[in-house]
Amino acid sequence: MFGVVGILDDIPNDKQMIENEVLVPFENDTMLTVNSPIWVDGSQKVAAAQAARHRRAQRRDLAQRRLRRGRDRQAARRPARWREAAAMPTYRLHYFPESGNSYKLALMLTLCGETFEPVWTDFGGGVTRTPEWRRDVNEMGEIPVLEVDGERLTQTAPILLKLAEQYGRFGGETEQEQFELLRWLFWDNHKLTGYMATYRYLRTFTPSPDRARAEAFSQAARRFPVDPRAAHAEECVRDRRRGRRWRIFR
Amino acid sequence: MMAYLHYPADETGYDLAASHPAINAWLGRMAAHCRAGNRPTICCPASA
């Protein structure tokens, strides 16, 4: 009697099956299928083709992606007055140049083909810590703040999620991808930005930094096993690329 | 996640090339995808 010698997930990586061409790729694809043992004697064997229904689904998916890209490119080329006429949302980003969180939103908007009005804010001068700022702009006393058609949105992570949903870009498509995206977003906000950005601020932008406090943040950030996590994240993206479902920059 | 990681070592205090080579390589690949207009100095100009 045999026990379990393998599972279905092992098959695509079975070196012996691939080298012996038991598994072969579909025509014009990287997806593998079982090589047919039947061929016409004297004729050259043709590559395996996918079922018509699957090909149609692939073509439809490709066409939708091309259409979306085309729309994005058109939107980016459109003059400002056309954009206004088409009732596109107008964005104002309250930022300061050294803010990585501001950069996250600026980059997201730019990659989505949007433009925005940058509203420079004197963070170093303490503007965001004034009662007026809390009353008029953000009761949390923080920056960045993104104004969308006059509505003020705060907290970078939910704004990124909202933009991803709105533009259909850079978001998870399946429940598993959504979970993975949230997992990294929370980790970034809590562990990476929470410690590393605070250390950078204390170290570089504070006139008389409290060195002991800064060093505590630095040590906390250094303890995280960042490399394996990043390698895992990149592997996830690579997997999705293999499946032709998701690319970082599309 | 690349936002706070891409700032220079003299600001962050982290020499990622030495301490976290995989992260550093990943950032390099991400930067290669970013056009010049996506860089923080363009997205978030230094003055109003």
PDB file of all heavy atoms in Angstrom, chain A residues 95 100 103 110-111 197 199-200 203-204 218 221-222 226-227 230 234 249, chain B residues 1 3-4 7 10-14 20 23 26 29 33 38 40 43 45-46:
ATOM      1  N   TYR A  95      -0.234  68.355   1.478  1.00  0.00           N
ATOM      2  CA  TYR A  95       0.951  67.517   1.677  1.00  0.00           C
ATOM      3  C   TYR A  95       2.094  68.347   2.216  1.00  0.00           C
ATOM      4  O   TYR A  95       2.038  69.577   2.260  1.00  0.00           O
ATOM      5  CB  TYR A  95       1.367  66.903   0.340  1.00  0.00           C
ATOM      6  CG  TYR A  95       2.133  67.877  -0.530  1.00  0.00           C
ATOM      7  CD1 TYR A  95       3.519  67.789  -0.663  1.00  0.00           C
ATOM      8  CD2 TYR A  95       1.477  68.926  -1.172  1.00  0.00           C
ATOM      9  CE1 TYR A  95       4.222  68.704  -1.430  1.00  0.00           C
ATOM     10  CE2 TYR A  95       2.173  69.848  -1.937  1.00  0.00           C
ATOM     11  CZ  TYR A  95       3.553  69.729  -2.064  1.00  0.00           C
ATOM     12  OH  TYR A  95       4.248  70.642  -2.807  1.00  0.00           O
ATOM     13  N   GLY A 100       6.186  60.607   3.362  1.00  0.00           N
ATOM     14  CA  GLY A 100       6.028  59.389   2.561  1.00  0.00           C
ATOM     15  C   GLY A 100       4.565  59.045   2.344  1.00  0.00           C
ATOM     16  O   GLY A 100       4.183  58.526   1.302  1.00  0.00           O
ATOM     17  N   TYR A 103       3.354  60.982  -0.441  1.00  0.00           N
ATOM     18  CA  TYR A 103       3.856  60.413  -1.693  1.00  0.00           C
ATOM     19  C   TYR A 103       3.032  59.206  -2.118  1.00  0.00           C
ATOM     20  O   TYR A 103       2.779  58.992  -3.307  1.00  0.00           O
ATOM     21  CB  TYR A 103       5.332  60.035  -1.533  1.00  0.00           C
ATOM     22  CG  TYR A 103       5.923  59.360  -2.740  1.00  0.00           C
ATOM     23  CD1 TYR A 103       5.723  59.870  -4.024  1.00  0.00           C
ATOM     24  CD2 TYR A 103       6.680  58.197  -2.615  1.00  0.00           C
ATOM     25  CE1 TYR A 103       6.261  59.245  -5.137  1.00  0.00           C
ATOM     26  CE2 TYR A 103       7.224  57.569  -3.723  1.00  0.00           C
ATOM     27  CZ  TYR A 103       7.010  58.094  -4.979  1.00  0.00           C
ATOM     28  OH  TYR A 103       7.537  57.469  -6.080  1.00  0.00           O
ATOM     29  N   THR A 110      -1.231  59.548  -9.665  1.00  0.00           N
ATOM     30  CA  THR A 110      -0.483  59.674 -10.916  1.00  0.00           C
ATOM     31  C   THR A 110      -0.561  58.386 -11.721  1.00  0.00           C
ATOM     32  O   THR A 110      -0.775  58.406 -12.934  1.00  0.00           O
ATOM     33  CB  THR A 110       0.991  60.015 -10.609  1.00  0.00           C
ATOM     34  OG1 THR A 110       1.017  61.173  -9.767  1.00  0.00           O
ATOM     35  CG2 THR A 110       1.754  60.329 -11.880  1.00  0.00           C
ATOM     36  N   LEU A 111      -0.393  57.249 -11.042  1.00  0.00           N
ATOM     37  CA  LEU A 111      -0.452  55.964 -11.744  1.00  0.00           C
ATOM     38  C   LEU A 111      -1.855  55.661 -12.272  1.00  0.00           C
ATOM     39  O   LEU A 111      -2.012  54.873 -13.199  1.00  0.00           O
ATOM     40  CB  LEU A 111       0.014  54.834 -10.824  1.00  0.00           C
ATOM     41  CG  LEU A 111       1.503  54.840 -10.471  1.00  0.00           C
ATOM     42  CD1 LEU A 111       1.814  53.776  -9.428  1.00  0.00           C
ATOM     43  CD2 LEU A 111       2.368  54.643 -11.708  1.00  0.00           C
ATOM     44  N   ALA A 197       9.296  55.475   9.651  1.00  0.00           N
ATOM     45  CA  ALA A 197       9.023  56.876   9.315  1.00  0.00           C
ATOM     46  C   ALA A 197       9.214  57.765  10.539  1.00  0.00           C
ATOM     47  O   ALA A 197       9.717  58.888  10.430  1.00  0.00           O
ATOM     48  CB  ALA A 197       7.601  57.016   8.771  1.00  0.00           C
ATOM     49  N   TYR A 199      11.263  57.198  13.000  1.00  0.00           N
ATOM     50  CA  TYR A 199      12.709  57.300  13.200  1.00  0.00           C
ATOM     51  C   TYR A 199      13.314  58.309  12.233  1.00  0.00           C
ATOM     52  O   TYR A 199      14.127  59.155  12.619  1.00  0.00           O
ATOM     53  CB  TYR A 199      13.354  55.924  13.007  1.00  0.00           C
ATOM     54  CG  TYR A 199      14.856  55.959  13.044  1.00  0.00           C
ATOM     55  CD1 TYR A 199      15.533  56.435  14.169  1.00  0.00           C
ATOM     56  CD2 TYR A 199      15.610  55.537  11.958  1.00  0.00           C
ATOM     57  CE1 TYR A 199      16.918  56.476  14.201  1.00  0.00           C
ATOM     58  CE2 TYR A 199      16.993  55.582  11.986  1.00  0.00           C
ATOM     59  CZ  TYR A 199      17.641  56.048  13.114  1.00  0.00           C
ATOM     60  OH  TYR A 199      19.007  56.100  13.148  1.00  0.00           O
ATOM     61  N   ARG A 200      12.900  58.226  10.964  1.00  0.00           N
ATOM     62  CA  ARG A 200      13.427  59.169   9.957  1.00  0.00           C
ATOM     63  C   ARG A 200      13.098  60.609  10.346  1.00  0.00           C
ATOM     64  O   ARG A 200      13.936  61.499  10.242  1.00  0.00           O
ATOM     65  CB  ARG A 200      12.808  58.827   8.595  1.00  0.00           C
ATOM     66  CG  ARG A 200      13.094  59.835   7.495  1.00  0.00           C
ATOM     67  CD  ARG A 200      12.557  59.306   6.167  1.00  0.00           C
ATOM     68  NE  ARG A 200      12.548  60.338   5.147  1.00  0.00           N
ATOM     69  CZ  ARG A 200      11.467  61.034   4.810  1.00  0.00           C
ATOM     70  NH1 ARG A 200      10.309  60.804   5.412  1.00  0.00           N
ATOM     71  NH2 ARG A 200      11.542  61.957   3.876  1.00  0.00           N
ATOM     72  N   ARG A 203      15.135  61.647  13.387  1.00  0.00           N
ATOM     73  CA  ARG A 203      16.567  61.691  13.070  1.00  0.00           C
ATOM     74  C   ARG A 203      16.921  62.878  12.180  1.00  0.00           C
ATOM     75  O   ARG A 203      17.938  63.542  12.376  1.00  0.00           O
ATOM     76  CB  ARG A 203      16.922  60.387  12.347  1.00  0.00           C
ATOM     77  CG  ARG A 203      18.352  60.220  11.951  1.00  0.00           C
ATOM     78  CD  ARG A 203      18.488  58.878  11.250  1.00  0.00           C
ATOM     79  NE  ARG A 203      19.875  58.544  11.031  1.00  0.00           N
ATOM     80  CZ  ARG A 203      20.589  58.982  10.021  1.00  0.00           C
ATOM     81  NH1 ARG A 203      20.050  59.759   9.105  1.00  0.00           N
ATOM     82  NH2 ARG A 203      21.863  58.637   9.887  1.00  0.00           N
ATOM     83  N   THR A 204      16.059  63.158  11.182  1.00  0.00           N
ATOM     84  CA  THR A 204      16.436  64.090  10.116  1.00  0.00           C
ATOM     85  C   THR A 204      15.723  65.433  10.184  1.00  0.00           C
ATOM     86  O   THR A 204      16.306  66.448   9.825  1.00  0.00           O
ATOM     87  CB  THR A 204      16.150  63.434   8.741  1.00  0.00           C
ATOM     88  OG1 THR A 204      16.770  62.144   8.723  1.00  0.00           O
ATOM     89  CG2 THR A 204      16.693  64.264   7.602  1.00  0.00           C
ATOM     90  N   SER A 218      14.527  53.153  15.995  1.00  0.00           N
ATOM     91  CA  SER A 218      15.423  52.529  15.027  1.00  0.00           C
ATOM     92  C   SER A 218      15.592  51.050  15.323  1.00  0.00           C
ATOM     93  O   SER A 218      15.496  50.201  14.435  1.00  0.00           O
ATOM     94  CB  SER A 218      16.783  53.227  15.073  1.00  0.00           C
ATOM     95  OG  SER A 218      17.733  52.489  14.362  1.00  0.00           O
ATOM     96  N   ALA A 221      12.499  49.039  14.475  1.00  0.00           N
ATOM     97  CA  ALA A 221      12.353  48.799  13.036  1.00  0.00           C
ATOM     98  C   ALA A 221      13.332  47.737  12.552  1.00  0.00           C
ATOM     99  O   ALA A 221      13.015  46.933  11.693  1.00  0.00           O
ATOM    100  CB  ALA A 221      12.560  50.109  12.277  1.00  0.00           C
ATOM    101  N   ARG A 222      14.536  47.731  13.106  1.00  0.00           N
ATOM    102  CA  ARG A 222      15.567  46.795  12.638  1.00  0.00           C
ATOM    103  C   ARG A 222      15.236  45.351  13.023  1.00  0.00           C
ATOM    104  O   ARG A 222      15.748  44.414  12.430  1.00  0.00           O
ATOM    105  CB  ARG A 222      16.925  47.166  13.233  1.00  0.00           C
ATOM    106  CG  ARG A 222      17.594  48.329  12.539  1.00  0.00           C
ATOM    107  CD  ARG A 222      18.881  48.712  13.240  1.00  0.00           C
ATOM    108  NE  ARG A 222      19.182  50.122  13.068  1.00  0.00           N
ATOM    109  CZ  ARG A 222      19.737  50.634  11.978  1.00  0.00           C
ATOM    110  NH1 ARG A 222      20.046  49.857  10.978  1.00  0.00           N
ATOM    111  NH2 ARG A 222      19.970  51.925  11.882  1.00  0.00           N
ATOM    112  N   VAL A 226      12.258  41.802   7.709  1.00  0.00           N
ATOM    113  CA  VAL A 226      11.647  42.394   6.523  1.00  0.00           C
ATOM    114  C   VAL A 226      11.949  41.614   5.251  1.00  0.00           C
ATOM    115  O   VAL A 226      11.093  41.436   4.412  1.00  0.00           O
ATOM    116  CB  VAL A 226      12.115  43.854   6.359  1.00  0.00           C
ATOM    117  CG1 VAL A 226      11.463  44.482   5.146  1.00  0.00           C
ATOM    118  CG2 VAL A 226      11.745  44.645   7.597  1.00  0.00           C
ATOM    119  N   ASP A 227      13.177  41.126   5.128  1.00  0.00           N
ATOM    120  CA  ASP A 227      13.559  40.483   3.871  1.00  0.00           C
ATOM    121  C   ASP A 227      12.670  39.299   3.480  1.00  0.00           C
ATOM    122  O   ASP A 227      12.157  39.265   2.384  1.00  0.00           O
ATOM    123  CB  ASP A 227      15.016  40.053   3.920  1.00  0.00           C
ATOM    124  CG  ASP A 227      15.913  41.142   3.349  1.00  0.00           C
ATOM    125  OD1 ASP A 227      15.386  42.062   2.724  1.00  0.00           O
ATOM    126  OD2 ASP A 227      17.116  41.053   3.537  1.00  0.00           O
ATOM    127  N   ALA A 230       9.264  40.536   2.359  1.00  0.00           N
ATOM    128  CA  ALA A 230       9.256  41.151   1.036  1.00  0.00           C
ATOM    129  C   ALA A 230       9.390  40.094  -0.044  1.00  0.00           C
ATOM    130  O   ALA A 230       8.736  40.155  -1.076  1.00  0.00           O
ATOM    131  CB  ALA A 230      10.384  42.159   0.928  1.00  0.00           C
ATOM    132  N   GLU A 234       6.711  39.542  -3.016  1.00  0.00           N
ATOM    133  CA  GLU A 234       7.058  39.581  -4.427  1.00  0.00           C
ATOM    134  C   GLU A 234       6.681  38.268  -5.111  1.00  0.00           C
ATOM    135  O   GLU A 234       6.247  38.248  -6.249  1.00  0.00           O
ATOM    136  CB  GLU A 234       8.552  39.854  -4.575  1.00  0.00           C
ATOM    137  CG  GLU A 234       8.893  40.309  -5.971  1.00  0.00           C
ATOM    138  CD  GLU A 234      10.294  40.847  -6.052  1.00  0.00           C
ATOM    139  OE1 GLU A 234      10.965  40.915  -5.014  1.00  0.00           O
ATOM    140  OE2 GLU A 234      10.706  41.183  -7.144  1.00  0.00           O
ATOM    141  N   PHE A 249       2.352  47.225 -12.071  1.00  0.00           N
ATOM    142  CA  PHE A 249       2.118  48.416 -12.878  1.00  0.00           C
ATOM    143  C   PHE A 249       1.514  47.978 -14.199  1.00  0.00           C
ATOM    144  O   PHE A 249       2.192  47.404 -15.014  1.00  0.00           O
ATOM    145  CB  PHE A 249       3.423  49.178 -13.134  1.00  0.00           C
ATOM    146  CG  PHE A 249       4.006  49.734 -11.890  1.00  0.00           C
ATOM    147  CD1 PHE A 249       5.024  49.071 -11.245  1.00  0.00           C
ATOM    148  CD2 PHE A 249       3.510  50.904 -11.330  1.00  0.00           C
ATOM    149  CE1 PHE A 249       5.558  49.579 -10.083  1.00  0.00           C
ATOM    150  CE2 PHE A 249       4.043  51.407 -10.173  1.00  0.00           C
ATOM    151  CZ  PHE A 249       5.063  50.744  -9.533  1.00  0.00           C
TER     152      PHE A 249
ATOM    153  N   MET B   1       4.057  50.559  -0.113  1.00  0.00           N
ATOM    154  CA  MET B   1       5.062  50.241   0.888  1.00  0.00           C
ATOM    155  C   MET B   1       6.426  50.814   0.499  1.00  0.00           C
ATOM    156  O   MET B   1       7.279  51.043   1.341  1.00  0.00           O
ATOM    157  CB  MET B   1       5.162  48.732   1.018  1.00  0.00           C
ATOM    158  CG  MET B   1       5.617  48.284   2.370  1.00  0.00           C
ATOM    159  SD  MET B   1       5.145  46.608   2.687  1.00  0.00           S
ATOM    160  CE  MET B   1       5.905  45.741   1.363  1.00  0.00           C
ATOM    161  N   ALA B   3       7.030  53.706  -0.405  1.00  0.00           N
ATOM    162  CA  ALA B   3       7.150  55.145  -0.166  1.00  0.00           C
ATOM    163  C   ALA B   3       8.241  55.486   0.845  1.00  0.00           C
ATOM    164  O   ALA B   3       9.173  56.221   0.539  1.00  0.00           O
ATOM    165  CB  ALA B   3       5.802  55.709   0.292  1.00  0.00           C
ATOM    166  N   TYR B   4       8.131  54.947   2.048  1.00  0.00           N
ATOM    167  CA  TYR B   4       9.107  55.310   3.079  1.00  0.00           C
ATOM    168  C   TYR B   4      10.434  54.589   2.900  1.00  0.00           C
ATOM    169  O   TYR B   4      11.441  54.995   3.449  1.00  0.00           O
ATOM    170  CB  TYR B   4       8.543  55.047   4.468  1.00  0.00           C
ATOM    171  CG  TYR B   4       7.724  56.207   4.974  1.00  0.00           C
ATOM    172  CD1 TYR B   4       6.350  56.150   5.010  1.00  0.00           C
ATOM    173  CD2 TYR B   4       8.346  57.398   5.372  1.00  0.00           C
ATOM    174  CE1 TYR B   4       5.601  57.223   5.441  1.00  0.00           C
ATOM    175  CE2 TYR B   4       7.606  58.476   5.799  1.00  0.00           C
ATOM    176  CZ  TYR B   4       6.232  58.386   5.831  1.00  0.00           C
ATOM    177  OH  TYR B   4       5.498  59.459   6.252  1.00  0.00           O
ATOM    178  N   TYR B   7      13.471  56.508   0.443  1.00  0.00           N
ATOM    179  CA  TYR B   7      14.227  57.720   0.790  1.00  0.00           C
ATOM    180  C   TYR B   7      15.700  57.364   1.032  1.00  0.00           C
ATOM    181  O   TYR B   7      16.018  56.243   1.431  1.00  0.00           O
ATOM    182  CB  TYR B   7      13.624  58.383   2.030  1.00  0.00           C
ATOM    183  CG  TYR B   7      12.279  59.024   1.769  1.00  0.00           C
ATOM    184  CD1 TYR B   7      11.120  58.559   2.388  1.00  0.00           C
ATOM    185  CD2 TYR B   7      12.172  60.100   0.889  1.00  0.00           C
ATOM    186  CE1 TYR B   7       9.887  59.142   2.131  1.00  0.00           C
ATOM    187  CE2 TYR B   7      10.937  60.685   0.632  1.00  0.00           C
ATOM    188  CZ  TYR B   7       9.804  60.203   1.253  1.00  0.00           C
ATOM    189  OH  TYR B   7       8.586  60.763   0.992  1.00  0.00           O
ATOM    190  N   ASP B  10      20.914  58.629   4.096  1.00  0.00           N
ATOM    191  CA  ASP B  10      21.289  59.696   5.031  1.00  0.00           C
ATOM    192  C   ASP B  10      20.065  60.301   5.723  1.00  0.00           C
ATOM    193  O   ASP B  10      20.179  60.947   6.761  1.00  0.00           O
ATOM    194  CB  ASP B  10      22.122  60.781   4.329  1.00  0.00           C
ATOM    195  CG  ASP B  10      21.372  61.431   3.188  1.00  0.00           C
ATOM    196  OD1 ASP B  10      20.407  60.825   2.697  1.00  0.00           O
ATOM    197  OD2 ASP B  10      21.746  62.550   2.795  1.00  0.00           O
ATOM    198  N   GLU B  11      18.856  60.093   5.144  1.00  0.00           N
ATOM    199  CA  GLU B  11      17.631  60.539   5.811  1.00  0.00           C
ATOM    200  C   GLU B  11      17.085  59.459   6.735  1.00  0.00           C
ATOM    201  O   GLU B  11      16.692  59.726   7.860  1.00  0.00           O
ATOM    202  CB  GLU B  11      16.544  60.850   4.763  1.00  0.00           C
ATOM    203  CG  GLU B  11      16.614  62.239   4.186  1.00  0.00           C
ATOM    204  CD  GLU B  11      15.406  62.521   3.292  1.00  0.00           C
ATOM    205  OE1 GLU B  11      14.363  61.868   3.439  1.00  0.00           O
ATOM    206  OE2 GLU B  11      15.530  63.424   2.449  1.00  0.00           O
ATOM    207  N   THR B  12      17.036  58.247   6.203  1.00  0.00           N
ATOM    208  CA  THR B  12      16.350  57.182   6.958  1.00  0.00           C
ATOM    209  C   THR B  12      17.240  56.548   8.019  1.00  0.00           C
ATOM    210  O   THR B  12      16.742  56.005   9.003  1.00  0.00           O
ATOM    211  CB  THR B  12      15.896  56.052   6.007  1.00  0.00           C
ATOM    212  OG1 THR B  12      17.060  55.473   5.408  1.00  0.00           O
ATOM    213  CG2 THR B  12      14.986  56.570   4.913  1.00  0.00           C
ATOM    214  N   GLY B  13      18.550  56.601   7.800  1.00  0.00           N
ATOM    215  CA  GLY B  13      19.463  55.924   8.717  1.00  0.00           C
ATOM    216  C   GLY B  13      19.596  54.445   8.411  1.00  0.00           C
ATOM    217  O   GLY B  13      20.242  53.712   9.149  1.00  0.00           O
ATOM    218  N   TYR B  14      18.986  53.998   7.320  1.00  0.00           N
ATOM    219  CA  TYR B  14      19.055  52.580   6.945  1.00  0.00           C
ATOM    220  C   TYR B  14      19.770  52.439   5.612  1.00  0.00           C
ATOM    221  O   TYR B  14      19.309  52.982   4.605  1.00  0.00           O
ATOM    222  CB  TYR B  14      17.651  51.976   6.809  1.00  0.00           C
ATOM    223  CG  TYR B  14      16.923  51.877   8.112  1.00  0.00           C
ATOM    224  CD1 TYR B  14      16.078  52.902   8.514  1.00  0.00           C
ATOM    225  CD2 TYR B  14      17.071  50.769   8.926  1.00  0.00           C
ATOM    226  CE1 TYR B  14      15.409  52.836   9.709  1.00  0.00           C
ATOM    227  CE2 TYR B  14      16.397  50.696  10.133  1.00  0.00           C
ATOM    228  CZ  TYR B  14      15.575  51.735  10.522  1.00  0.00           C
ATOM    229  OH  TYR B  14      14.911  51.650  11.701  1.00  0.00           O
ATOM    230  N   HIS B  20      19.465  45.044   4.082  1.00  0.00           N
ATOM    231  CA  HIS B  20      18.318  44.328   3.520  1.00  0.00           C
ATOM    232  C   HIS B  20      18.460  44.261   1.997  1.00  0.00           C
ATOM    233  O   HIS B  20      17.753  44.967   1.273  1.00  0.00           O
ATOM    234  CB  HIS B  20      17.011  45.025   3.890  1.00  0.00           C
ATOM    235  CG  HIS B  20      16.718  45.036   5.349  1.00  0.00           C
ATOM    236  ND1 HIS B  20      17.301  45.944   6.212  1.00  0.00           N
ATOM    237  CD2 HIS B  20      15.923  44.235   6.112  1.00  0.00           C
ATOM    238  CE1 HIS B  20      16.867  45.708   7.449  1.00  0.00           C
ATOM    239  NE2 HIS B  20      16.043  44.682   7.420  1.00  0.00           N
ATOM    240  N   ILE B  23      15.258  43.673  -0.158  1.00  0.00           N
ATOM    241  CA  ILE B  23      14.400  44.858  -0.222  1.00  0.00           C
ATOM    242  C   ILE B  23      14.996  45.860  -1.203  1.00  0.00           C
ATOM    243  O   ILE B  23      14.285  46.454  -2.021  1.00  0.00           O
ATOM    244  CB  ILE B  23      14.315  45.525   1.172  1.00  0.00           C
ATOM    245  CG1 ILE B  23      13.527  44.641   2.132  1.00  0.00           C
ATOM    246  CG2 ILE B  23      13.713  46.912   1.082  1.00  0.00           C
ATOM    247  CD1 ILE B  23      12.048  44.770   2.025  1.00  0.00           C
ATOM    248  N   TRP B  26      14.407  44.823  -4.697  1.00  0.00           N
ATOM    249  CA  TRP B  26      12.989  45.002  -5.032  1.00  0.00           C
ATOM    250  C   TRP B  26      12.692  46.471  -5.334  1.00  0.00           C
ATOM    251  O   TRP B  26      12.019  46.786  -6.310  1.00  0.00           O
ATOM    252  CB  TRP B  26      12.130  44.500  -3.863  1.00  0.00           C
ATOM    253  CG  TRP B  26      10.674  44.812  -3.972  1.00  0.00           C
ATOM    254  CD1 TRP B  26       9.782  44.254  -4.839  1.00  0.00           C
ATOM    255  CD2 TRP B  26       9.933  45.761  -3.196  1.00  0.00           C
ATOM    256  NE1 TRP B  26       8.543  44.791  -4.648  1.00  0.00           N
ATOM    257  CE2 TRP B  26       8.605  45.713  -3.642  1.00  0.00           C
ATOM    258  CE3 TRP B  26      10.260  46.630  -2.165  1.00  0.00           C
ATOM    259  CZ2 TRP B  26       7.606  46.511  -3.100  1.00  0.00           C
ATOM    260  CZ3 TRP B  26       9.263  47.420  -1.614  1.00  0.00           C
ATOM    261  CH2 TRP B  26       7.955  47.352  -2.076  1.00  0.00           C
ATOM    262  N   ARG B  29      13.842  47.366  -8.734  1.00  0.00           N
ATOM    263  CA  ARG B  29      12.944  46.893  -9.802  1.00  0.00           C
ATOM    264  C   ARG B  29      11.689  47.759  -9.864  1.00  0.00           C
ATOM    265  O   ARG B  29      11.181  48.070 -10.944  1.00  0.00           O
ATOM    266  CB  ARG B  29      12.576  45.429  -9.566  1.00  0.00           C
ATOM    267  CG  ARG B  29      13.735  44.480  -9.798  1.00  0.00           C
ATOM    268  CD  ARG B  29      13.266  43.028  -9.839  1.00  0.00           C
ATOM    269  NE  ARG B  29      12.819  42.538  -8.561  1.00  0.00           N
ATOM    270  CZ  ARG B  29      13.634  42.062  -7.610  1.00  0.00           C
ATOM    271  NH1 ARG B  29      14.938  42.045  -7.814  1.00  0.00           N
ATOM    272  NH2 ARG B  29      13.155  41.622  -6.467  1.00  0.00           N
ATOM    273  N   HIS B  33      10.139  50.609 -12.941  1.00  0.00           N
ATOM    274  CA  HIS B  33       8.791  50.709 -13.509  1.00  0.00           C
ATOM    275  C   HIS B  33       8.250  52.137 -13.457  1.00  0.00           C
ATOM    276  O   HIS B  33       7.318  52.479 -14.177  1.00  0.00           O
ATOM    277  CB  HIS B  33       7.814  49.813 -12.738  1.00  0.00           C
ATOM    278  CG  HIS B  33       7.948  48.368 -13.064  1.00  0.00           C
ATOM    279  ND1 HIS B  33       7.531  47.830 -14.259  1.00  0.00           N
ATOM    280  CD2 HIS B  33       8.464  47.349 -12.361  1.00  0.00           C
ATOM    281  CE1 HIS B  33       7.773  46.536 -14.259  1.00  0.00           C
ATOM    282  NE2 HIS B  33       8.344  46.215 -13.117  1.00  0.00           N
ATOM    283  N   ASN B  38       6.719  60.077 -11.816  1.00  0.00           N
ATOM    284  CA  ASN B  38       6.170  59.440 -10.618  1.00  0.00           C
ATOM    285  C   ASN B  38       7.074  59.588  -9.403  1.00  0.00           C
ATOM    286  O   ASN B  38       6.733  59.101  -8.328  1.00  0.00           O
ATOM    287  CB  ASN B  38       5.948  57.950 -10.877  1.00  0.00           C
ATOM    288  CG  ASN B  38       4.946  57.719 -11.983  1.00  0.00           C
ATOM    289  OD1 ASN B  38       4.165  58.604 -12.297  1.00  0.00           O
ATOM    290  ND2 ASN B  38       4.978  56.559 -12.580  1.00  0.00           N
ATOM    291  N   PRO B  40       8.978  61.149  -6.187  1.00  0.00           N
ATOM    292  CA  PRO B  40       8.388  62.014  -5.152  1.00  0.00           C
ATOM    293  C   PRO B  40       8.673  63.499  -5.348  1.00  0.00           C
ATOM    294  O   PRO B  40       7.843  64.339  -5.015  1.00  0.00           O
ATOM    295  CB  PRO B  40       9.010  61.497  -3.854  1.00  0.00           C
ATOM    296  CG  PRO B  40      10.128  60.632  -4.246  1.00  0.00           C
ATOM    297  CD  PRO B  40       9.839  60.132  -5.612  1.00  0.00           C
ATOM    298  N   CYS B  43       5.983  64.438  -7.854  1.00  0.00           N
ATOM    299  CA  CYS B  43       4.630  64.292  -7.297  1.00  0.00           C
ATOM    300  C   CYS B  43       4.400  65.268  -6.142  1.00  0.00           C
ATOM    301  O   CYS B  43       3.317  65.814  -5.990  1.00  0.00           O
ATOM    302  CB  CYS B  43       4.421  62.880  -6.766  1.00  0.00           C
ATOM    303  SG  CYS B  43       4.207  61.628  -8.013  1.00  0.00           S
ATOM    304  N   PRO B  45       6.162  68.381  -4.904  1.00  0.00           N
ATOM    305  CA  PRO B  45       7.218  69.387  -5.049  1.00  0.00           C
ATOM    306  C   PRO B  45       7.608  70.036  -3.731  1.00  0.00           C
ATOM    307  O   PRO B  45       6.806  70.116  -2.800  1.00  0.00           O
ATOM    308  CB  PRO B  45       6.613  70.409  -6.014  1.00  0.00           C
ATOM    309  CG  PRO B  45       5.148  70.146  -5.999  1.00  0.00           C
ATOM    310  CD  PRO B  45       4.952  68.717  -5.644  1.00  0.00           C
ATOM    311  N   ALA B  46       8.856  70.505  -3.698  1.00  0.00           N
ATOM    312  CA  ALA B  46       9.406  71.005  -2.442  1.00  0.00           C
ATOM    313  C   ALA B  46       8.805  72.328  -2.004  1.00  0.00           C
ATOM    314  O   ALA B  46       8.912  72.703  -0.847  1.00  0.00           O
ATOM    315  CB  ALA B  46      10.918  71.139  -2.560  1.00  0.00           C
TER     316      ALA B  46
END
